[in-house]
Structures are given as C-alpha cells and as structure tokens.
C-alpha cells in the first residue's frame, strides 16, 4: 500500500462509525487502534494458520460493555473475534480482516469462592493459575491444568474445553463448568446451568457452549465446581527402548484398574530438545519416558509400586521414583517445558531459524496408543519429516509435533501430508481429530470427516440458530 493510501485508510478507520460507537460505549481507553497492538492481536500460538490484522481491539470490563460491543459489531456488520490470552494451538483465536477483536483481559475478577457449595464464580479473563492458586488457599482444588495454565484464561479454557496433565484422573474443563453467562449475537445475556451440586432443568446449554471456540457467543462469567485439595502425590519415571512399549504400559496401567493422577509420555526427540533447552539430567538415550504420579494418600506407595511393576513387565529398562517433592516438581517442570523446548529445537533445525512446528493433537482409545505411536513413526519415515511425540498418554491424547522448514515449500508440503496422515490414522484407530486443542482453522476438514454429513448439518443448524448473521469468529470450527 502506498503511503498516501495508507494515510487515507487509517484516517477512515479513525473516523469509522463503528469505532465511534465503540468509544461511546466503552470510553477511549478500552478501544485500541495502535497498529503494533493490532498486529499483536492478529493470531494465537498456532503456526501456519491464516490470520489478518483486526480493525480494532476492545477491552470491555463488564457484561454490559460486552453486550454493547456485540450490538455495535452487529449493527455495522463487523465480524467479532473473542480472545483470551491467545495461547490457542489451532488458530481459533486468529483475527479476520476488519474484525472487532474482543479481548477479555480486563474481565479478570474472581467474583466468588464458596467453600460450602465448592464453587467459584469468575470473569472470563481470570488466568487459570490465578484461580487455581486462590482456591488452593481455601483448601480447594480446580483440576484442569493445561500446560499454558500460567497464562491461559478460564474463558479460553472453557471455549476450547481445555485438558491438561491432571485430566487423566480428574477430567477436562467441561467436568467443572456448572454454569455460564453468555452474550448472544443479539446482545442479549443468556444464563445457563446452575450453582447447585445437582440439576437437570432443560437442555444442557452449558455443555453446548463449552468447546464452541467463540463461534456461538461471548462467555462473560463462569461458575466452576471445585474439589477438596488432593493428597500429596508420589511420582515415578519409567524409561523405555520403544515408544510402543511405553504405549502398551499405559494400556496395562488402565487395565489393572490403577488411577494415576498424571501419566505423561515424552519421546526421545522431546527429551533431547528439553535437555538442550534446559539441562535436567533426563535420559536422552531413551526412546520414551513415562512420567506417572499417584495421589491416593495411604495407598499411594502401593499404587506407585504396582505402576512400576506394570512398566517393568511392559519392557521398561529403568524405573525409579522421585526421591522427594522437589525432584517430582522438577520432573513436572521438564514436562511443562516440552513446548518451548520443541519450538527452539524446530527453529534451530533449519538455516536462519526458519524451522517451525505443526502441532498435532490426536486422541485414541488407550488400548490403541501403541498402534498410534508406531504409526506416527511410520508416517515420519514415509513423509521424510522429523516428528517428536509428547502428550497425555493416560488419556490416549498425543501431540505429534511435526518439524518443518517454513522457507521451503517442499518441506511445508511434506509436513502437511504428515499431519493429514496422522489425522487419518487417529480416526482409523477409533479416535478423534482433537483431544483438547480444538478445531479452529487447523482441523475443519477433519472435523467434517469425523462427524459426517449429519453431524455437520446439526452443527450448522445450531450455529444458524444462535448466530444467524455469522458474526462470531467466522471461519472457525465449520
Ligand atoms: C505452552 C502451551 C501449552 C499448552 N498446553 C495445553 C494443554 O495441556 N491442554 C490444552 O487443552 N491446551 C493447551 N494449550 C492450548 C491453549 O493454551 C488452550 O487452548 C487454552 O484453553 C487457550 O486459552 P486462551 O485464554 O489462550 O484462549 P485463546 O487462545 O485466546 O482463545 C481460544 C478460543 O477460545 C475463544 N475464546 C476465548 N475467550 C472467550 C470468551 N470469553 N468467550 C467466547 N470465546 C472465547 C477464542 O475465540 C478461541 O476460539 C497449550 C498452549 C501452549 C502455548
């Protein structure tokens, strides 16, 4: 764009009737058009997904302000993209051209913690770790713990139905969402669900909005269920010569009725990436490492010993327990570093730091985990791309991370082929195209294959009923 055209276009933006309406409703300080800030809000953490600079970023503080934003966007026919912390890994928070990005960062208040009903009520911009810490101080526990928990928001977690490491025992976000307040496309405010321990009134609209990735409405308040704080956990590490053996151990742990509070797998690529990123003494000669924890109180030592036996029987060449809580925390930290470590590994794998990651997210029945891991190794060899595997093995939920050279179209093409082959394999094994990251832009084709034409029609009917003008997060999910 020439300088003159840019000046004209910026001038039009500054005086647009939509911006005037937004400023009138929220005040100037909550309506942001600084070009650097707009660029910052263009996309989430997913590589290789389309995005465009928004027209404006707004930061409402209350439900009424969200309503006013939605009404203004609808009046002017502008798309509206809700954003939390933009840690998403499917492009679901990516802006489209001329969008109003509605950021929830200023809606960050914990409204209530009720230890008797064991619930908390929060605004959507509360960061997961802030809520977890606040309820911990009351002797309570909010289990969903995505790896991004120190930055991702409860609104984002709800809208992606986020998982995490504790989910193998405690379940994913949806298990903890009792009720929601949602601003609909009309600007009206819908309340779903309940505060009570039980309740079955009407359709389960709460679950409809959980995982809807900002396509059906803006979540403005969340009522979550809490649990009593768990017992201290004990942790072990099992080292394997093959990823498939580690996968077989996971199936056996489940078959024996054991209930670890954490069961994670890291393959050799990730072990090496983590050691290069921050040396921790991990066994980089291993093909796979399983990290398991139990929090069963007086039974914990016995349960850990039984998990160790299963791992040894499945072929582990070394099994050891963390000697104390400090070592256990360090092991957990190593697992949490998998993502940044792998990003660094990918960047350095190609000249000029051009390496990137296509992050996959596939879940299969636990009994098929070994077949999935073998299959991913086969896909890597056939497509000629490095693929590291990490994930929530206890849930059968793996993240094959495909390393590509962004500057080389042939490498990108091989990476995309590998991505598709892994999706195909996951579905063939009776799994799903996304265990926790969501559909976003990355997996729309695969969602359609997974749910079939009838499922697609029902999705479209729900979208049309709630958002007839296609205002919310266009192009995502379907
Ligand atoms: C290092 C790292 C580790 C991760 N580990 C995990 C993991 O273990 N498990 C997991 O599930 N995910 C994980 N993720 C992915 C990501 O953190 C989650 O998807 C998270 O829930 C996104 O939250 P967010 O606040 O960043 O939302 P965003 O990325 O900003 O948005 C995600 C989606 O939610 C919508 N949205 C956000 N807020 C609202 C709202 N108030 N109303 C309506 N729609 C809304 C957006 O439109 C978008 O569709 C990880 C990401 C990173 C970078």
């Amino acid at each position: 764009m020439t300088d003159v055209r840019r000046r004209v276009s910026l001038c039009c933006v500054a005086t647009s009737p939509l911006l005037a309406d937004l400023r009138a409703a929220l005040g100037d300080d909550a309506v942001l058009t600084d070009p650097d800030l707009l660029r910052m809000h263009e996309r989430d953490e997913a590589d290789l997904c389309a995005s465009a600079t928004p027209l404006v970023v707004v930061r409402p503080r209350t439900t009424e302000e969200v309503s006013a934003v939605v009404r203004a966007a609808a009046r002017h026919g502008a798309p509206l993209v809700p954003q939390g912390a933009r840690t998403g890994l499917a492009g679901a928070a990516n802006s489209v051209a001329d969008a109003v990005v509605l950021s929830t960062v200023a809606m960050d208040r914990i409204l209530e913690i009720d230890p008797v009903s064991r619930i908390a009520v929060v605004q959507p911009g509360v960061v997961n770790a802030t809520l977890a810490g606040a309820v911990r101080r009351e002797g309570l526990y909010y289990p969903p713990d995505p790896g991004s928990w120190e930055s991702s928001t409860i609104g984002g977690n709800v809208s992606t139905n986020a998982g995490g490491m504790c989910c193998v025992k405690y379940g994913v976000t949806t298990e903890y969402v009792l009720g929601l307040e949602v601003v609909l496309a009309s600007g009206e405010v819908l309340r779903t669900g309940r505060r009570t321990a039980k309740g079955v009134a009407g359709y389960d609209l709460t679950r409809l909005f959980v995982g809807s990735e900002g396509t059906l409405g803006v979540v403005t308040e969340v009522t979550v269920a809490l649990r009593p704080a768990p017992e201290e956990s004990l942790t072990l590490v099992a080292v394997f010569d093959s990823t498939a053996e580690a996968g077989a151990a996971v199936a056996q742990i489940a078959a024996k009725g054991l209930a670890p509070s954490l069961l994670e797998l890291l393959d050799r690529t990730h072990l090496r990436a983590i050691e290069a990123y921050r040396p921790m003494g991990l066994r980089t000669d291993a093909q796979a490492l399983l990290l398991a924890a139990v929090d069963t109180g007086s039974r914990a030592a016995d349960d850990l010993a039984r998990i160790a036996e299963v791992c040894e029987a499945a072929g582990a060449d070394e099994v050891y327990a963390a000697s104390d809580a400090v070592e256990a925390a360090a092991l957990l930290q190593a697992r949490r570093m998998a993502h940044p470590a792998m990003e660094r590994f990918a960047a350095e794998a190609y000249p000029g730091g051009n390496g990137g990651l296509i992050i996959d997210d596939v879940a299969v029945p636990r009994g098929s985990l070994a077949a999935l891991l073998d299959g991913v190794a086969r896909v890597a060899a056939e497509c000629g791309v490095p693929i590291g595997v990490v994930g929530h093995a206890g849930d059968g939920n793996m993240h094959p991370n495909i390393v590509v050279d962004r500057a080389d179209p042939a490498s990108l093409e091989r990476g995309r082929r590998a991505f598709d082959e892994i999706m195909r394999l996951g579905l063939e094994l009776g799994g799903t195209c996304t265990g926790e990251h969501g559909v976003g832009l990355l997996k729309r084709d695969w969602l359609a294959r997974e749910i079939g034409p009838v499922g697609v029609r029902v999705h479209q009917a729900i979208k049309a009923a709630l958002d007839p003008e296609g205002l919310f997060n266009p192009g995502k999910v379907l």
Side-chain angles (χ1 to χ4, degrees), residues 44-45 82-89 92-93 104 124 146-148 152-153 155-157 159-160 162-164 213-214 217-219 339 392 436-437 473:
D44 63 18
E45 289 275 333
Q83 284 184 355
R86 301 186 311 282
T87 65
L89 291 172
T104 61
S148 57
S152 66
T153 64
N157 294 170
S159 302
T160 56
E213 302 186 32
V218 183
V219 174
H339 180 74
H392 313 299
E436 57 178 18
H437 292 167
N473 215 1

Side-chain angles (χ1 to χ4, degrees), residues 72-392:
R75 214 164 33 245
H76 295 280
L80 189 144
V81 180
Q83 284 184 355
R86 301 186 311 282
T87 65
L89 291 172
N94 285 10
S95 174
V96 293
D98 297 327
V100 174
V101 160
L102 188 154
S103 164
T104 61
V105 288
M107 299 182 78
D108 62 349
R109 282 184 303 129
I110 296 177
L111 303 171
E112 182 186 351
I113 297 174
D114 176 348
V116 176
S117 297
R118 289 198 192 135
I119 59 168
V121 182
V122 302
Q123 287 191 305
V126 171
V127 168
N128 180 303
T130 306
L131 174 62
V135 304
R136 217 16 117 95
R137 288 191 284 281
E138 306 283 335
L140 293 165
Y141 180 37
Y142 177 67
D145 62 340
S148 57
W149 73 310
E150 285 171 320
S151 50
S152 66
T153 64
I154 296 298
N157 294 170
V158 167
S159 302
T160 56
N161 194 5
M165 293 201 259
C166 300
C167 299
V168 61
K169 178 166 180 182
Y170 294 104
V172 298
T173 300
T174 195
E175 318 288 345
Y176 295 89
V177 184
L178 289 179
L180 294 172
E181 181 187 80
V182 184
V183 173
L184 301 175
S186 58
E188 292 167 296
V189 178
L190 169 74
R191 292 201 75 95
T192 74
R194 58 196 161 85
R195 296 170 55 97
T196 49
K198 296 170 75 180
V200 293
Y203 295 150
D204 194 343
L205 298 182
T206 305
R207 285 208 176 206
L208 176 62
F209 283 96
V210 174
S212 63
E213 302 186 32
T215 60
L216 300 180
V218 183
V219 174
T220 47
E221 191 185 288
V222 186
T223 302
V224 294
L226 305 170
R227 297 178 64 105
E231 305 273 354
E232 280 298 305
S233 54
L234 299 179
T235 303
L236 72 67
V237 173
V239 181
F240 292 86
D241 285 334
S242 93
T243 50
E245 279 177 6
V250 169
Q252 279 307 306
I253 289 167
K256 302 251 182 246
L258 290 156
S261 53
L262 177 143
L263 189 52
E264 297 284 313
L265 182 147
L266 296 132
D267 77 347
R268 176 187 280 196
T269 308
H270 280 85
L271 293 170
R272 291 186 171 176
I274 293 167
E275 276 300 305
Y277 187 72
R278 201 151 311 158
M280 307 190 75
L282 298 171
R283 282 262 312 260
T284 52
D285 61 325
Q287 286 296 341
L289 182 147
L290 272 187
L291 191 58
V294 286
D295 62 359
T296 44
S298 56
R299 288 199 336 263
D302 278 354
D303 287 345
L304 203 70
R306 288 179 65 200
I307 291 175
E309 272 168 31
V310 171
C311 289
E312 277 159 1
D317 78 359
E318 185 187 0
V319 179
Y320 61 91
S323 48
D324 54 26
V326 175
E327 192 185 354
L331 287 164
L332 213 68
Q333 192 52 22
R335 166 63 184 91
R336 288 196 192 280
M337 271 185 311
H339 180 74
M342 201 56 198
E343 274 191 327
R344 155 104 61 97
F345 170 87
E348 291 174 355
Y350 292 101
N354 268 326
L357 280 183
I358 305 179
I359 299 177
D360 217 329
D361 167 43
V362 55
V364 294
R366 283 187 205 102
S368 299
L369 188 60
L372 175 72
L373 293 165
D374 272 345
V376 170
R378 202 171 52 245
V379 169
E382 281 170 8
C383 295
V385 282
I387 305 181
V389 185
V390 66
H392 313 299

Side-chain angles (χ1 to χ4, degrees), residues 362 364 371-379 420-431 446:
V362 55
V364 294
L372 175 72
L373 293 165
D374 272 345
V376 170
R378 202 171 52 245
V379 169
D420 283 340
E421 287 306 317
I422 292 169
M423 290 286 86
R424 194 185 326 279
L425 174 66
L427 294 191
E428 277 168 14
L429 291 170
W446 287 100

